[in-house]
Amino acid sequence: MPTPRGLWITCLILPALAVMLLFVAYPIVSALAYAFYHWNGMARGEFVGFRNFYDVLFTEPYKSTVQNAFINNVIVFVTLMVVQNGAAFILAYALWREFPLARFHRIAVFLPVVLSTVIVGYLWKLFLNPLFGIVNQTLKAVGLAGLAQPWLGQSDTALASLILVNAWHWVGFPTLIFLAAMQRIPSEIYDAVRMETESEWVKIRKIIWPLVAPAATIVFVLQFIGSFNWFELPYVMEGMSGSPYGNTDVLALYFYRLAFGNPGAGSSDFGHGSALAALVFIFITVFATAMTLYLRRREIEL
Amino acid sequence: MSDTTYTDRSGLMRTFGRDGLLQILLIANTFIMIAPIVIMVFSAFKPSMAIFRQPFAIPDFTDLSNFEAIWTETHFVRYFFNSLLITGSSILAILVLGSMAAYALGRYNFRGSSFLLLFFLAGLTLPLKLAVIPLFVLMRKMGLLDSQLSLILIYIAMGLPSTVFIMTGFIRSLPGELEDAARMDGATEARIMWSVMLPLARPAMVIAAIHNLVPIWNDFFFPLIFIQNDLLKTLPQGLTSFMGEYTTNWGVLFAGLTFAAAPITLLYIILSRQFINGMTSGAIK
C-alpha cells in the first residue's frame, strides 16, 4: 500500500516514464532483438542467430557497401572535427572581443543552425547546379571558368561539397559553445597572464583552451553521434543511393535503403537493416562513452 | 621584457594588426552565412531567367507570381499548418509531462530517484533514428501508420530527456523556504507545485521549449517513414515532393524554400537571445 506521498510522486513520473519506455527503451531493445531474425516483408520469420550480422559485415552485396559507407562516415567525422571546429574556435575567439556589431555577427553565425536540413540541402543543391548554379556562374564571371565543375555529380567533389554545406549549416553551434566557455573565463586570470606574456598563442594554450575544453568534450561527442547518423543532407542532395558511385553513401542511408528502400514491394529487409542498425548503435555507444571518459580524464590538452 | 620578444610579425599582421584581421574575418564570415539566404529570398521574387542572368541583382519585390504559384498550385499552406499542429502539440505535451517528472525528481528524495534521472538522461544521446524499424512495427500494431499522432508520440519521447535534464536542474536550485511556508499553511503538494513552484520554473520551461522547437519543426526523417498521405505531410517533408515536381521553374523552387524557411527565421531574428540560449543549453553547464 503506497503512502499518499508515494502515490503523488508516482502520478507525476509515470506518464513521462511510460512514453520513454514505450517509444525509446522498447524500440532500442527490440532493434537489437530484431537483428537475430529473418524478416522478409510484413511478419517476423525464423530465428537465424548471428547470420544477419555476419552477412552485413562479411558477405556481398552488403559487405562492400557497408565498408564504403563506414569509411565515408569516418571521413565526415574527421573533417568536421578539424574544419568545422577549427573555424568555430577562431570565430568564437573573434566574437569574444567587443568589436562593433558583435551582436549582429553572433546572430548571423547561428542563423543557418535554425534552418531545416531539407531547406539547406535544396538551397545548396540549386547553388551547386553545374549549369545554372550560382557557384559555377560566379566562377565564370570572375574568370575562373576552369574551376567550374559538376560539384555533386562527380566522385571526387561530391562528399567534400556535402561536408562544406554541413559545416556552413552547423558551424554556429560549436562557435557559440566555445564563446560561452570563453566568456566564463574570470578576467583576473586573463589579466594576470596578459602581464606575463604578449603571445596570443601562449594565452590560447595556457588559459583559453583548458577552460573551453570541458564544453568542447560535449560538442565532440555530439558531433561523433551526429556524423554516424548522418542521413538528411546526403539524402536530400544526392538521393537515396548516395551517388555518384556510392561516394556519398553513409551508414544511415544504407540502413534506410535496406529497411524502407522498396516500400510496398514486400521486400523490406528488416533483419539485415536491424543488424546494421545494431552494429552502428553499439559502435556509437562504445566510442562515445570511451571518448567522454578519455577526454574528461585528459582535460583535452593541446 | 615583453616588448622585444614578439617582433617577427607577418606582413598581414603588420598591415591590419591582430584585431583588424579578426574583424575582417568576422565580416567575411557574416557575409558567407547571410549571403546564401539573401540570394534565396531575392531569387524567390525573380523569374527563372533573371535568376540565371543576374543572380545578385535586387529584385522587384512586388512581383509575387512565384508565391502565387505556391499558394494556388501546391499544398504548402496545408503543410505549414500540419507542422504547426504537430510541433505545437508535441511541445505542449513535452512541457506538461516533462515538468511533472522534473518536479518529482527535483523536489523529492525517494528510492530510485537518481536511477530514474539517469534513465531519462540516457535518452539524450540515444539515436532514435536507428530504432526506427521497431518503431515502425510498433506504430503498425497500434494502427498509427500514416497518422500525425505517430509523429507527436515520437517527438514527445525525443524531447523529454532534454526537458527533464534542463528542468530538474532548475527546479532543484529553487529555494525551499517558499515550499515550507506553503506547507505550514496547509497547502497540498499539488497546490504547492502548481501555484508556488512551477511559476518560478517558467524560465526553464521557455529554454526547454525552444530547445525542442527547432529539431521538431525541422525534422524530416520520421515523417518520411510514417506519413504517406500528402494532406498529412509536414513542411520539410512536403518540400521534398515539391522540389521533385518543379525541377525547371527555379523561381518557384526558391519561393518554396523561402516560404519554408521564413517562419523559423523570423522567429529566430525576433527571439535570437532565447534561441541561442535554448539551443546551446544542453552543452553548457
Side-chain angles (χ1 to χ4, degrees):
Chain A
M1 183 70 196
T3 60
R5 187 168 167 276
L7 197 66
W8 164 241
I9 293 174
T10 311
C11 289
L12 285 177
I13 289 211
L14 206 59
L17 189 63
V19 171
M20 291 295 290
L21 286 172
L22 190 58
F23 297 106
V24 178
Y26 168 74
I28 283 179
V29 174
S30 350
L32 300 176
Y34 281 20
F36 292 97
Y37 289 87
H38 184 71
W39 280 81
N40 216 350
M42 297 302 273
R44 182 154 63 180
E46 55 177 322
F47 182 84
V48 292
F50 285 93
R51 182 85 227 171
N52 291 332
F53 290 95
Y54 182 85
D55 285 351
V56 163
L57 289 175
F58 304 110
T59 319
E60 296 298 351
Y62 307 99
K63 183 183 127 191
S64 45
T65 314
V66 168
Q67 279 177 356
N68 177 33
F70 179 77
I71 291 168
N72 286 338
N73 275 121
V74 172
I75 294 173
V76 169
F77 173 61
V78 172
T79 47
L80 284 182
M81 282 287 281
V82 176
V83 177
Q84 187 172 297
N85 291 341
F89 190 87
I90 296 168
L91 284 171
Y93 181 68
L95 284 167
W96 189 22
R97 271 141 232 278
E98 284 307 317
F99 288 143
L101 296 175
R103 206 176 117 70
F104 172 68
H105 288 308
R106 273 171 218 168
I107 291 177
V109 75
F110 201 68
L111 179 57
V113 173
V114 303
L115 293 178
S116 167
T117 306
V118 178
I119 296 170
V120 170
Y122 281 124
L123 179 63
W124 283 96
K125 196 176 171 168
L126 291 175
F127 286 166
L128 292 169
N129 181 286
L131 288 177
F132 305 113
I134 200 168
V135 174
N136 281 353
Q137 296 260 56
T138 308
L139 286 172
K140 281 172 198 155
V142 298
L144 293 169
L147 290 178
Q149 50 200 303
W151 301 97
L152 300 170
Q154 61 187 13
S155 49
D156 44 345
T157 51
L159 189 62
S161 305
L162 260 60
I163 290 171
L164 280 176
V165 171
N166 190 80
W168 178 82
H169 187 187
W170 286 106
V171 70
F173 184 73
T175 302
L176 285 163
I177 304 289
F178 294 161
L179 176 64
M182 286 178 196
Q183 283 171 333
R184 230 169 303 143
I185 296 174
S187 56
E188 300 83 40
I189 298 185
Y190 196 68
D191 290 341
V193 176
R194 191 151 51 192
M195 307 283 277
E196 297 273 318
T197 173
E198 228 185 44
S199 159
E200 212 52 47
W201 174 242
V202 172
K203 272 184 257 176
I204 289 175
R205 214 168 42 130
K206 300 276 184 203
I207 317 265
I208 302 173
W209 181 248
L211 288 158
V212 168
T217 307
I218 297 159
V219 172
F220 294 165
V221 172
L222 287 177
Q223 281 169 341
F224 175 77
I225 297 168
S227 313
F228 281 87
N229 262 311
W230 211 41
F231 172 82
E232 277 92 343
L233 196 70
Y235 179 91
V236 167
M237 292 186 76
E238 291 282 12
M240 219 161 71
S241 48
S243 55
Y245 313 112
N247 252 68
T248 56
D249 231 337
V250 283
L251 289 169
L253 210 55
Y254 187 46
F255 159 64
Y256 173 80
R257 215 154 65 214
L258 279 176
F260 300 101
N262 220 338
S267 66
S268 358
D269 190 348
F270 280 4
H272 288 105
S274 294
L276 181 58
L279 287 171
V280 175
F281 182 76
I282 293 165
F283 175 77
I284 287 179
T285 312
V286 169
F287 269 75
T289 313
M291 236 168 108
T292 315
L293 295 176
Y294 177 75
L295 294 174
R296 281 238 176 98
R297 198 162 46 81
R298 289 271 319 262
E299 285 279 280
I300 329 180
E301 286 160 23
L302 263 186
Chain B
M1 58 170 192
S2 56
D3 296 353
T4 51
T5 329
Y6 299 98
T7 46
D8 54 331
R9 300 209 161 154
S10 69
L12 270 176
M13 269 301 227
R14 221 173 307 141
T15 318
F16 297 106
R18 186 199 61 199
D19 282 9
L21 269 184
L22 285 176
Q23 273 213 62
I24 291 171
L25 192 95
L26 269 189
I27 293 165
N29 178 71
T30 297
F31 178 78
I32 293 169
M33 302 318 267
I34 288 184
I37 295 168
V38 171
I39 293 167
M40 170 181 82
V41 177
F42 280 7
S43 307
F45 292 91
K46 293 176 185 175
S48 293
M49 274 333 279
I51 296 172
F52 307 145
R53 289 213 180 116
Q54 298 129 345
F56 301 104
I58 295 171
D60 170 15
F61 284 109
T62 56
D63 175 14
L64 296 174
S65 51
N66 292 329
F67 287 97
E68 272 168 31
I70 297 241
W71 189 271
T72 53
E73 294 167 30
T74 72
H75 290 138
F76 254 86
V77 177
R78 176 92 197 204
Y79 302 149
F80 173 79
F81 281 106
N82 288 339
S83 277
L84 209 59
L85 173 79
I86 291 172
T87 311
S89 358
S90 307
I91 301 257
L92 188 71
I94 288 170
L95 286 184
V96 172
L97 302 187
S99 310
M100 284 163 61
Y103 188 79
L105 294 168
R107 260 1 248 189
Y108 301 107
N109 253 320
F110 55 95
R111 205 150 38 99
S113 61
S114 45
F115 172 79
L116 274 173
L117 186 60
L118 262 181
F119 174 75
F120 279 108
L121 295 193
L124 275 176
T125 49
L126 292 177
L128 207 51
K129 217 186 265 174
L130 294 173
V132 74
I133 292 177
L135 272 173
F136 182 82
V137 175
L138 179 68
M139 292 297 177
R140 194 165 63 190
K141 272 187 209 150
M142 294 170 75
L144 292 178
L145 282 189
D146 213 8
S147 90
Q148 296 175 327
L149 187 58
S150 62
L151 295 181
I152 295 174
L153 288 169
I154 291 172
Y155 294 150
I156 298 173
M158 263 169 45
L160 276 175
S162 60
T163 306
V164 169
F165 172 66
I166 292 167
M167 291 199 64
T168 306
F170 191 87
I171 286 174
R172 246 182 214 160
S173 71
L174 295 173
E177 288 85 3
L178 283 171
E179 198 183 341
D180 294 338
R183 205 165 277 146
M184 301 261 273
D185 288 343
T188 61
E189 294 294 313
R191 176 121 198 115
I192 294 170
M193 172 182 158
W194 183 253
S195 313
V196 181
M197 302 313 280
L198 281 190
L200 295 173
R202 214 172 288 155
M205 285 191 204
V206 173
I207 293 278
I210 289 179
H211 187 86
N212 288 304
L213 173 70
V214 177
I216 294 177
W217 178 268
N218 287 342
D219 183 51
F220 161 66
F221 182 77
F222 289 107
L224 180 70
I225 285 163
F226 290 110
I227 304 291
Q228 304 292 325
N229 183 346
D230 192 48
L231 293 177
L232 297 177
K233 284 180 179 171
T234 63
L235 203 47
Q237 187 193 10
L239 198 59
T240 58
S241 49
F242 161 80
M243 295 300 281
E245 264 171 57
Y246 285 79
T247 42
T248 49
N249 193 335
W250 281 40
V252 178
L253 291 179
F254 275 112
L257 290 172
T258 305
F259 182 96
I264 197 111
T265 312
L266 292 177
L267 204 62
Y268 167 66
I269 291 171
I270 299 167
L271 302 171
S272 55
R273 192 180 296 269
Q274 286 86 338
F275 260 84
I276 289 173
N277 288 344
M279 287 288 285
T280 51
S281 61
I284 309 170
K285 267 184 255 164

